[in-house]
Amino acid sequence: MAHIGIIHWLEEHDFKIDSICGCSMGSVIGGIYGVGKLDDFENWVKTIKKVDIISLLDIAWSGSGLVKGDKIINALIELVGDHKIEDLSIPFTAVAADIKGEREVWLNSGRLFDAIRASISLPLFFTPFTIDGIDLIDGGVLNPVPIAPAFGDDTDMIIAVNLGGPFQAGLPEPEPIQTKTLGGNLIDSVQRFIDNLGIIDKDEKKNDWSMYAIADQAFDAMQGAIARQKLAAYPPDHSIIIPRNACGTLEFDRAEEMINLGYQKAAENLSHLIHN
C-alpha cells in the first residue's frame, strides 16, 4: 500500500510515470495503476476490515500452499476489469520466479491478472500459479526490487521502492485478526495459519515461534539480503526504503496508514528533486 502514497507524491509534483515493473504487491499496484484504476482500488482497500480479509481467502486443500487466490483475483477483476498487459497505458512488467528453473520470469504480455497472480504467490501462503506450463511463485524469492526490466525503457530516471528495509524498533506489533463471525473449516484453517505466522494475541509469549513464523522471518531476511545485492548490481537513480516491519503480512485494514507512510517516505527521499 505504501506504493500508492509514493505514486500520489510523484503525480502531485508533476512527475510522469512512464513505466512500472514490480513483483508481489508491487505488481498489484503497478498493474492497477497501468489500467488507470488506482483511485478505485485505493477507495476499496481503505474500506477493508479484518473480517473482510478472511472472506477473501479461499483455502487450497493441497500441500503447495494455504490459499488458492481465486477470490482475491476475482475481486480485483470485478473492481478494475480484465485486461491484457499490452493494452495498458504504460509498459508494465510483473516479475515472478520459476521455482524449478531457478530463474526470474518477466511477464509483460498476456492477461494482467494472470501475471499478478503468479507474481504474488508467496511461498507457503499462496499456491504456485502455472503459466505456459511453468509453475511460478512470488518474484521476491529471486528479485524483491526488480529494476533490470526498466533499464530498456525510455525514461529520465528510475525510482526503486524497497519494502524490505531494515527492521525499525518501536513500531506496533501486528494486531490479531478476529474471525468469530465466520464459521466452519475456513475459520479454523485460516486462524491456525494466522497464529502460525505470528499474528497472535499480545498476551502470548513472544518466544512461541512456529514453523510458519520462522519461514516468514526467513523469507524477510532472504529478501532483504537479495534486495541489497540487486540494488548494488542494478543501482536505481533514487531509492525509497520502507521498514519491513511497518505492518504485518495480512494487515490490509491498515491500508490508509501505509499509504500515508509511502507519501511521507517519498517526500523525505525525493523532495530535493523538485528544487533542481
Side-chain angles (χ1 to χ4, degrees):
M1 297 301 108
H3 291 90
I4 298 175
I6 293 167
I7 289 172
H8 284 331
W9 189 93
L10 290 170
E11 291 189 327
E12 285 178 15
H13 293 86
D14 298 324
F15 288 87
K16 185 173 182 291
I17 299 172
D18 278 336
S19 81
I20 291 182
C21 55
C23 73
S24 201
M25 200 61 202
S27 72
V28 177
I29 303 303
I32 292 174
Y33 177 83
V35 171
K37 295 285 188 177
L38 190 60
D39 288 344
D40 292 338
F41 174 79
E42 179 180 355
N43 292 334
W44 174 72
V45 79
K46 283 181 177 179
T47 68
I48 289 180
K49 303 292 187 288
K50 291 183 184 296
V51 69
D52 298 323
I53 300 168
I54 301 301
S55 69
L56 288 171
L57 303 181
D58 42 0
I59 299 301
W61 303 110
S62 68
S64 60
L66 178 76
V67 176
K68 291 188 294 184
D70 293 346
K71 282 188 177 181
I72 293 174
I73 293 299
N74 288 336
L76 293 175
I77 290 174
E78 184 176 349
L79 182 69
V80 307
D82 200 359
H83 302 269
K84 289 187 175 181
I85 294 175
E86 48 266 46
D87 295 333
L88 301 187
S89 60
I90 59 174
F92 169 75
T93 302
V95 176
D98 175 358
I99 189 171
K100 294 179 181 177
E102 300 178 0
R103 64 188 180 94
E104 292 179 36
V105 176
W106 296 359
L107 301 166
N108 49 28
S109 64
R111 290 187 71 225
L112 172 64
F113 282 102
D114 283 352
I116 288 174
R117 175 61 183 85
S119 186
I120 67 172
S121 297
L122 182 69
L124 294 180
F125 190 77
F126 283 113
T127 57
F129 189 78
T130 303
I131 294 179
D132 296 333
I134 301 173
D135 291 332
L136 300 174
I137 60 173
D138 194 313
V141 170
L142 296 178
N143 193 353
V145 190
I147 298 169
F151 277 176
D153 295 331
D154 183 20
T155 55
D156 296 318
M157 68 177 70
I158 295 175
I159 298 173
V161 180
N162 181 4
L163 301 182
F167 187 94
Q168 182 176 322
L171 293 178
E173 294 288 327
E175 293 289 339
I177 291 179
Q178 303 296 329
T179 58
K180 293 179 180 178
T181 57
L182 299 177
N185 292 329
L186 177 63
I187 179 176
D188 297 332
S189 300
V190 173
Q191 189 62 62
R192 281 198 301 271
F193 186 75
I194 291 170
D195 290 343
N196 285 335
L197 279 177
I199 304 176
I200 55 178
D201 291 332
K202 293 180 180 179
D203 293 334
E204 291 190 34
K205 295 180 180 179
K206 291 184 181 294
N207 61 357
D208 185 17
W209 289 62
S210 68
M211 65 177 182
Y212 285 111
I214 294 290
D216 199 39
Q217 291 287 326
F219 189 67
D220 281 347
M222 177 188 72
Q223 282 193 309
I226 294 174
R228 289 191 294 271
Q229 294 174 356
K230 292 291 186 180
L231 289 169
Y234 302 99
D237 297 293
H238 305 280
S239 293
I240 299 171
I241 300 174
I242 308 293
R244 65 176 178 267
N245 64 322
C247 72
T249 304
L250 294 176
E251 291 190 300
F252 286 91
D253 56 302
R254 294 176 61 198
E256 186 166 9
E257 178 187 348
M258 293 301 106
I259 291 168
N260 292 336
L261 175 63
Y263 188 95
Q264 171 193 332
K265 291 294 184 181
E268 291 175 3
N269 289 273
L270 302 177
S271 288
H272 65 284
L273 296 177
I274 63 178
H275 301 301
N276 293 337

Coordinates of all heavy atoms in Angstrom, one line a residue, residues 220-274:
D220 N 11.7 -12.9 4.9 CA 12.0 -11.5 5.0 C 13.5 -11.2 5.0 O 14.0 -10.3 4.3 CB 11.4 -10.9 6.3 CG 9.9 -10.6 6.2 OD1 9.4 -10.6 5.1 OD2 9.3 -10.4 7.2
A221 N 14.2 -12.0 5.8 CA 15.7 -11.9 5.8 C 16.3 -12.1 4.4 O 17.2 -11.4 4.0 CB 16.3 -12.8 6.9
M222 N 15.8 -13.2 3.8 CA 16.3 -13.5 2.4 C 16.1 -12.4 1.5 O 17.0 -12.0 0.7 CB 15.7 -14.8 2.0 CG 16.1 -15.2 0.6 SD 15.1 -16.6 0.0 CE 13.5 -15.8 -0.3
Q223 N 14.9 -11.9 1.5 CA 14.5 -10.8 0.6 C 15.4 -9.5 0.8 O 15.8 -8.9 -0.1 CB 13.0 -10.4 0.7 CG 12.1 -11.3 0.0 CD 10.7 -10.8 -0.1 OE1 10.1 -10.3 0.9 NE2 10.1 -10.8 -1.2
G224 N 15.6 -9.2 2.1 CA 16.5 -8.1 2.4 C 17.9 -8.2 1.9 O 18.4 -7.3 1.3
A225 N 18.4 -9.4 2.0 CA 19.8 -9.7 1.6 C 19.8 -9.6 0.0 O 20.8 -9.0 -0.6 CB 20.3 -11.0 2.0
I226 N 18.9 -10.2 -0.6 CA 18.9 -10.2 -2.1 C 18.6 -8.8 -2.6 O 19.2 -8.4 -3.6 CB 17.8 -11.2 -2.6 CG1 18.1 -12.6 -2.3 CG2 17.6 -11.0 -4.1 CD1 17.0 -13.6 -2.6
A227 N 17.7 -8.1 -2.0 CA 17.5 -6.7 -2.4 C 18.7 -5.9 -2.4 O 19.0 -5.1 -3.3 CB 16.4 -6.1 -1.5
R228 N 19.5 -6.0 -1.3 CA 20.8 -5.2 -1.2 C 21.7 -5.6 -2.4 O 22.4 -4.7 -3.0 CB 21.5 -5.5 0.1 CG 20.7 -4.8 1.3 CD 21.6 -4.9 2.5 NE 21.8 -6.2 3.0 CZ 21.0 -6.9 3.9 NH1 19.9 -6.3 4.3 NH2 21.3 -8.1 4.3
Q229 N 21.8 -6.9 -2.7 CA 22.6 -7.3 -3.8 C 22.1 -6.8 -5.2 O 22.9 -6.3 -6.0 CB 22.7 -8.9 -3.9 CG 23.4 -9.5 -2.6 CD 23.3 -11.0 -2.6 OE1 22.7 -11.6 -3.5 NE2 24.0 -11.6 -1.6
K230 N 20.8 -6.9 -5.4 CA 20.3 -6.4 -6.6 C 20.4 -4.9 -6.8 O 20.7 -4.4 -7.9 CB 18.8 -6.8 -6.7 CG 18.5 -8.3 -6.8 CD 18.9 -8.8 -8.2 CE 18.5 -10.3 -8.4 NZ 18.9 -10.8 -9.7
L231 N 20.2 -4.2 -5.7 CA 20.4 -2.7 -5.8 C 21.8 -2.3 -6.1 O 22.1 -1.3 -6.7 CB 19.9 -2.1 -4.5 CG 18.4 -2.1 -4.3 CD1 18.0 -1.7 -2.8 CD2 17.6 -1.2 -5.3
A232 N 22.8 -3.1 -5.6 CA 24.2 -2.8 -5.9 C 24.5 -3.2 -7.3 O 25.3 -2.5 -8.0 CB 25.1 -3.6 -4.9
A233 N 23.9 -4.3 -7.8 CA 24.2 -4.7 -9.2 C 23.5 -3.8 -10.2 O 24.0 -3.5 -11.3 CB 23.8 -6.1 -9.4
Y234 N 22.3 -3.4 -9.9 CA 21.5 -2.6 -10.8 C 21.0 -1.3 -10.1 O 19.8 -1.2 -9.7 CB 20.2 -3.3 -11.3 CG 20.6 -4.6 -12.0 CD1 20.5 -5.8 -11.3 CD2 21.0 -4.6 -13.3 CE1 20.8 -7.0 -12.0 CE2 21.3 -5.8 -14.0 CZ 21.2 -7.0 -13.3 OH 21.5 -8.2 -14.0
P235 N 21.9 -0.4 -9.8 CA 21.6 0.8 -9.0 C 20.5 1.7 -9.7 O 20.7 2.1 -10.8 CB 22.9 1.5 -8.8 CG 23.7 1.1 -10.0 CD 23.3 -0.3 -10.3
P236 N 19.5 2.0 -8.9 CA 18.5 3.0 -9.5 C 19.0 4.4 -9.3 O 20.0 4.6 -8.6 CB 17.3 2.7 -8.6 CG 17.9 2.3 -7.3 CD 19.1 1.5 -7.6
D237 N 18.3 5.3 -9.8 CA 18.7 6.7 -9.6 C 18.3 7.2 -8.2 O 19.1 8.0 -7.6 CB 18.0 7.6 -10.7 CG 18.5 7.3 -12.1 OD1 19.6 7.5 -12.4 OD2 17.6 6.7 -12.9
H238 N 17.2 6.7 -7.7 CA 16.8 7.1 -6.4 C 16.1 5.9 -5.7 O 15.5 5.1 -6.4 CB 15.8 8.3 -6.4 CG 16.4 9.5 -7.2 ND1 17.3 10.3 -6.6 CD2 16.2 9.9 -8.4 CE1 17.6 11.3 -7.4 NE2 17.0 11.0 -8.6
S239 N 16.2 5.8 -4.4 CA 15.5 4.7 -3.7 C 14.7 5.2 -2.6 O 15.0 6.2 -1.9 CB 16.6 3.8 -3.1 OG 17.3 3.1 -4.1
I240 N 13.6 4.5 -2.3 CA 12.7 4.8 -1.2 C 12.6 3.5 -0.4 O 12.2 2.4 -1.0 CB 11.3 5.2 -1.6 CG1 11.4 6.5 -2.5 CG2 10.4 5.4 -0.5 CD1 10.1 6.9 -3.1
I241 N 13.0 3.5 0.9 CA 13.0 2.3 1.7 C 12.0 2.3 2.8 O 11.9 3.3 3.5 CB 14.4 2.2 2.3 CG1 15.5 2.1 1.2 CG2 14.5 1.0 3.2 CD1 16.9 2.1 1.8
I242 N 11.2 1.3 2.8 CA 10.1 1.1 3.8 C 10.6 0.0 4.8 O 10.9 -1.1 4.3 CB 8.8 0.7 3.1 CG1 8.4 1.7 2.0 CG2 7.7 0.6 4.2 CD1 8.1 3.1 2.4
P243 N 10.5 0.2 6.1 CA 10.9 -0.8 7.0 C 10.0 -2.1 6.8 O 8.8 -2.0 6.7 CB 10.6 -0.2 8.4 CG 10.6 1.3 8.2 CD 10.1 1.5 6.8
R244 N 10.7 -3.2 6.9 CA 9.9 -4.4 6.6 C 8.9 -4.8 7.7 O 8.0 -5.6 7.4 CB 10.9 -5.6 6.3 CG 11.7 -6.0 7.5 CD 12.5 -7.3 7.1 NE 13.4 -7.7 8.2 CZ 14.7 -7.3 8.4 NH1 15.2 -6.5 7.5 NH2 15.4 -7.8 9.3
N245 N 9.0 -4.2 8.8 CA 8.1 -4.4 9.9 C 7.1 -3.3 10.1 O 6.5 -3.1 11.1 CB 8.8 -4.7 11.2 CG 9.6 -3.5 11.7 OD1 10.2 -2.7 10.9 ND2 9.6 -3.2 13.0
A246 N 6.9 -2.5 9.0 CA 5.9 -1.4 9.1 C 4.5 -1.9 9.3 O 3.7 -1.3 10.0 CB 6.0 -0.6 7.8
C247 N 4.2 -3.1 8.8 CA 2.9 -3.7 9.1 C 3.0 -5.2 8.9 O 4.0 -5.7 8.3 CB 1.8 -3.1 8.3 SG 1.8 -3.6 6.5
G248 N 2.0 -6.0 9.3 CA 2.1 -7.4 9.2 C 1.6 -7.9 7.9 O 1.1 -7.2 7.0
T249 N 1.8 -9.2 7.7 CA 1.5 -9.8 6.4 C 0.1 -9.6 5.9 O -0.2 -9.4 4.7 CB 1.8 -11.3 6.5 OG1 3.1 -11.5 6.9 CG2 1.6 -12.0 5.1
L250 N -0.9 -9.7 6.8 CA -2.3 -9.7 6.4 C -3.0 -8.4 6.9 O -4.2 -8.3 6.9 CB -3.0 -10.9 7.0 CG -2.6 -12.2 6.4 CD1 -3.3 -13.4 7.1 CD2 -2.8 -12.3 4.9
E251 N -2.3 -7.4 7.3 CA -2.9 -6.2 7.8 C -3.4 -5.2 6.8 O -3.0 -4.0 6.8 CB -2.0 -5.5 8.8 CG -1.7 -6.3 10.1 CD -1.0 -5.5 11.1 OE1 0.2 -5.1 10.9 OE2 -1.5 -5.3 12.2
F252 N -4.2 -5.7 5.9 CA -4.7 -4.8 4.8 C -5.7 -3.7 5.4 O -6.0 -2.8 4.7 CB -5.4 -5.6 3.7 CG -4.4 -6.3 2.8 CD1 -4.0 -7.6 3.1 CD2 -3.9 -5.7 1.7 CE1 -3.0 -8.2 2.3 CE2 -2.9 -6.3 0.9 CZ -2.5 -7.6 1.2
D253 N -6.2 -4.0 6.6 CA -7.0 -3.0 7.2 C -6.3 -1.7 7.6 O -6.9 -0.7 8.1 CB -7.7 -3.6 8.5 CG -6.7 -4.2 9.5 OD1 -5.9 -5.0 9.1 OD2 -6.7 -3.7 10.6
R254 N -5.0 -1.7 7.5 CA -4.1 -0.6 7.8 C -3.7 0.2 6.5 O -2.7 0.8 6.5 CB -2.9 -1.0 8.6 CG -3.3 -1.5 10.0 CD -2.0 -2.0 10.8 NE -1.0 -0.9 10.9 CZ 0.3 -1.1 11.2 NH1 0.7 -2.4 11.3 NH2 1.1 -0.1 11.4
A255 N -4.4 0.0 5.5 CA -4.0 0.5 4.2 C -3.8 2.0 4.2 O -2.8 2.5 3.7 CB -5.1 0.1 3.1
E256 N -4.7 2.7 4.8 CA -4.6 4.2 4.8 C -3.3 4.6 5.5 O -2.6 5.6 5.0 CB -5.8 4.9 5.4 CG -5.8 6.4 5.3 CD -7.2 7.0 5.6 OE1 -8.1 6.3 6.1 OE2 -7.3 8.2 5.3
E257 N -3.0 4.0 6.6 CA -1.8 4.3 7.3 C -0.6 4.0 6.5 O 0.4 4.8 6.4 CB -1.7 3.5 8.6 CG -0.5 3.6 9.4 CD -0.4 2.7 10.6 OE1 -1.4 2.0 10.9 OE2 0.6 2.6 11.2
M258 N -0.6 2.9 5.7 CA 0.6 2.6 4.9 C 0.7 3.5 3.7 O 1.8 3.8 3.2 CB 0.5 1.1 4.4 CG 0.7 0.1 5.6 SD 2.2 0.3 6.4 CE 1.7 1.0 8.0
I259 N -0.4 3.9 3.1 CA -0.4 4.9 2.0 C 0.2 6.2 2.5 O 1.1 6.8 1.8 CB -1.9 5.1 1.5 CG1 -2.4 3.8 0.8 CG2 -1.9 6.3 0.5 CD1 -3.9 3.9 0.5
N260 N -0.2 6.6 3.7 CA 0.4 7.9 4.2 C 1.9 7.7 4.5 O 2.7 8.6 4.2 CB -0.3 8.2 5.5 CG -1.7 8.7 5.3 OD1 -2.1 9.1 4.2 ND2 -2.6 8.6 6.3
L261 N 2.3 6.5 4.9 CA 3.7 6.3 5.1 C 4.5 6.4 3.8 O 5.6 6.9 3.8 CB 3.9 4.9 5.8 CG 5.4 4.4 5.9 CD1 6.1 5.3 6.9 CD2 5.4 3.0 6.4
G262 N 4.0 5.8 2.7 CA 4.6 5.9 1.4 C 4.8 7.3 1.0 O 5.8 7.7 0.5
Y263 N 3.7 8.1 1.2 CA 3.8 9.5 0.8 C 4.9 10.2 1.6 O 5.6 11.0 1.0 CB 2.4 10.1 1.0 CG 2.3 11.6 0.5 CD1 1.7 11.8 -0.7 CD2 2.7 12.6 1.2 CE1 1.6 13.1 -1.2 CE2 2.6 13.9 0.8 CZ 2.0 14.1 -0.5 OH 1.9 15.4 -1.0
Q264 N 4.9 10.0 2.9 CA 5.9 10.6 3.7 C 7.3 10.2 3.3 O 8.2 11.1 3.2 CB 5.7 10.2 5.2 CG 6.8 10.6 6.1 CD 6.6 9.8 7.5 OE1 5.5 9.5 7.9 NE2 7.7 9.6 8.1
K265 N 7.5 8.9 3.0 CA 8.9 8.5 2.6 C 9.3 9.0 1.3 O 10.5 9.4 1.0 CB 8.9 6.9 2.6 CG 8.8 6.3 3.9 CD 10.0 6.6 4.8 CE 10.0 5.8 6.1 NZ 11.1 6.1 7.0
A266 N 8.3 9.2 0.4 CA 8.6 9.8 -0.9 C 9.0 11.2 -0.7 O 10.0 11.7 -1.4 CB 7.4 9.7 -1.8
A267 N 8.3 12.0 0.1 CA 8.7 13.4 0.4 C 10.1 13.5 1.0 O 10.9 14.3 0.6 CB 7.7 14.0 1.3
E268 N 10.4 12.6 1.9 CA 11.7 12.6 2.6 C 12.9 12.3 1.6 O 13.9 12.9 1.7 CB 11.8 11.5 3.7 CG 10.9 11.9 4.9 CD 10.9 10.8 5.9 OE1 11.6 9.7 5.7 OE2 10.1 10.9 6.9
N269 N 12.6 11.4 0.6 CA 13.7 11.0 -0.3 C 13.8 11.7 -1.6 O 14.8 11.6 -2.3 CB 13.6 9.4 -0.5 CG 13.9 8.6 0.7 OD1 15.1 8.3 1.0 ND2 12.9 8.3 1.5
L270 N 12.7 12.3 -2.0 CA 12.6 12.9 -3.4 C 12.4 14.4 -3.4 O 12.5 15.0 -4.5 CB 11.5 12.2 -4.2 CG 11.6 10.7 -4.3 CD1 10.4 10.1 -5.1 CD2 12.9 10.2 -5.0
S271 N 12.2 15.0 -2.3 CA 11.9 16.5 -2.3 C 13.0 17.3 -3.0 O 12.7 18.3 -3.6 CB 11.6 16.9 -0.9 OG 10.3 16.5 -0.4
H272 N 14.2 16.8 -2.8 CA 15.3 17.6 -3.4 C 15.2 17.7 -4.9 O 15.8 18.6 -5.5 CB 16.7 17.0 -3.0 CG 16.9 15.6 -3.5 ND1 16.3 14.5 -3.0 CD2 17.7 15.2 -4.6 CE1 16.7 13.4 -3.7 NE2 17.5 13.9 -4.7
L273 N 14.5 16.7 -5.5 CA 14.4 16.7 -7.0 C 13.6 17.9 -7.5 O 13.9 18.4 -8.6 CB 13.8 15.4 -7.5 CG 14.6 14.1 -7.2 CD1 13.8 12.9 -7.7 CD2 16.0 14.2 -7.9
I274 N 12.6 18.3 -6.8 CA 11.7 19.4 -7.3 C 12.4 20.8 -7.1 O 11.9 21.7 -7.6 CB 10.4 19.4 -6.6 CG1 10.5 19.7 -5.1 CG2 9.7 18.0 -6.8 CD1 9.2 19.7 -4.3

